[in-house]
């Protein structure tokens, strides 16, 4: 899956650096967004947002707060890159649930591996069902919204297990978990064998 990274930068300087850093990583797509276009970035639910504080015309704390208040981007990781390295300033930003603050001048390899590791962590943990390893509720919602925003033609197949509570009551939750895992493995195998392109499989769980 392509990782959509949005760079909030009013002078377009950062996008050049990122594209050069990731020129050999085809799994990343970088888009430069002006500060006044932040709503566009949020609607597209990016994989990662990078804010170049030195090149925006609004208060970075307010901008971070706006991102975190958007219900579709509560778990979208944010990196702030800035020359303002005072401890109080850094703490104000981190208090808005921002993942990383990187002080300029930036070590490009440090920035590269920070982005890579942050996306890897999200891919393997926060967006997956711990039982089946499939993308969970947040990622399912994001995937549907992305396709709707792009006006793509697609179909949704929703599968449910009838009388599953009764099965758990008789055989226990451990056996029930085995049934869920088997169902997920069966669906994945069938999709892979069909060789359909651009497919997405998720596991809706309890919130």
């Amino acid at each position: 899956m392509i990782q959509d990274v949005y760079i909030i930068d009013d002078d377009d300087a950062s996008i050049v650096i990122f594209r050069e850093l990731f020129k050999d990583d085809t799994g990343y797509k970088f888009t430069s967004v002006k500060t006044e276009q932040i709503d566009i970035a949020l609607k597209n639910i990016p994989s990662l947002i990078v804010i170049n504080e030195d090149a925006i015309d609004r208060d970075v704390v307010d901008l971070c707060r706006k991102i975190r208040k958007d219900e579709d981007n509560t778990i979208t990781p944010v990196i702030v890159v800035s020359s303002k390295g005072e401890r109080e300033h850094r703490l104000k930003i981190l208090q808005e649930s921002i993942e990383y603050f990187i002080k300029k001048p930036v070590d490009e390899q440090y920035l590269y591996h920070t982005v890579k590791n942050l996306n890897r962590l999200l891919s393997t943990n926060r967006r997956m069902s711990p039982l089946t390893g499939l993308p969970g509720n947040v990622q399912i919602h994001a995937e549907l919204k992305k396709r709707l925003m792009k006006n793509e033609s697609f179909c949704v197949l929703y599968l449910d297990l009838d009388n599953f509570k009764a099965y758990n009551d008789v055989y226990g939750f451990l056996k029930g978990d085995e049934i869920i895992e088997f169902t997920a493995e069966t669906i994945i195998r069938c999709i892979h064998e069909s060789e359909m392109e651009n497919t997405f499989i998720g596991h809706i769980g309890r919130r």
Side-chain angles (χ1 to χ4, degrees):
M1 183 181 295
I2 297 294
Q3 302 294 326
D4 289 313
V5 180
Y6 279 70
I7 315 296
I8 311 301
D9 185 344
D10 289 340
D11 63 14
D12 296 329
S14 299
I15 192 72
V16 177
I17 296 173
F18 276 96
R19 286 176 176 166
E20 178 63 23
L21 273 177
F22 287 81
K23 62 183 179 181
D24 296 324
D25 290 276
T26 57
Y28 288 83
K29 176 185 176 184
F30 295 92
T31 303
S32 183
V33 179
K34 306 295 184 184
T35 313
E36 64 269 19
Q37 298 173 314
I38 183 64
D39 289 335
I40 296 175
L42 296 181
K43 286 180 181 179
N44 289 333
I45 315 177
S47 302
L48 170 68
I49 295 174
V50 179
I51 303 173
N52 180 3
E53 183 183 6
D54 295 351
I56 61 174
D57 61 359
R58 64 182 293 180
D59 182 73
V60 70
V61 174
D62 288 341
L63 183 59
C64 293
R65 191 173 294 139
K66 178 180 177 63
I67 294 170
R68 279 294 169 256
K69 286 183 177 180
D70 185 87
E71 65 176 10
D72 293 323
N73 289 278
T74 55
I75 68 168
T76 301
V78 179
I79 298 174
V80 173
V81 181
S82 174
S83 61
K84 301 175 183 179
E86 298 83 1
R87 180 176 182 274
E88 184 179 351
H89 182 67
R90 298 198 311 268
L91 287 175
K92 283 183 179 180
I93 291 173
L94 294 177
Q95 284 168 358
E96 299 301 327
S97 298
I98 302 306
E99 281 69 29
Y100 284 96
F101 181 98
I102 299 178
K103 188 179 183 304
K104 293 182 179 178
V106 177
D107 183 310
E108 292 185 356
Q109 286 302 305
Y110 180 88
L111 180 62
Y112 171 81
H113 288 292
T114 298
V115 171
K116 293 275 288 187
N117 292 344
L118 194 52
N119 276 305
R120 178 192 59 80
L121 180 62
L122 281 176
S123 296
T124 56
N125 284 332
R126 298 176 70 187
R127 299 186 177 188
M128 300 296 175
S129 162
L131 181 59
T132 62
L134 292 173
N137 295 359
V138 172
Q139 187 64 2
I140 292 170
H141 175 82
E143 184 69 21
L144 289 171
K145 190 164 185 175
K146 281 183 180 181
R147 297 191 183 212
L148 289 170
M149 293 294 295
K150 293 178 181 178
N151 292 320
E152 292 182 357
S153 296
F154 67 96
C155 63
V156 176
L157 179 62
Y158 178 87
L159 302 178
D160 194 17
L161 297 173
D162 289 339
N163 302 314
F164 189 63
K165 182 180 182 304
Y167 183 93
N168 278 337
D169 290 342
V170 174
Y171 298 104
F173 288 102
L174 291 179
K175 289 294 184 182
D177 286 349
E178 290 178 5
I179 292 297
I180 293 175
E181 290 174 335
F182 174 77
T183 302
E185 291 169 0
T186 302
I187 293 171
I188 293 170
R189 185 177 66 253
C190 289
I191 292 296
H192 286 173
E193 290 176 352
S194 70
E195 297 183 353
M196 290 187 293
E197 296 182 356
N198 200 24
T199 57
F200 177 89
I201 308 171
H203 177 190
I204 296 177
R206 295 179 180 178
R207 292 186 179 273

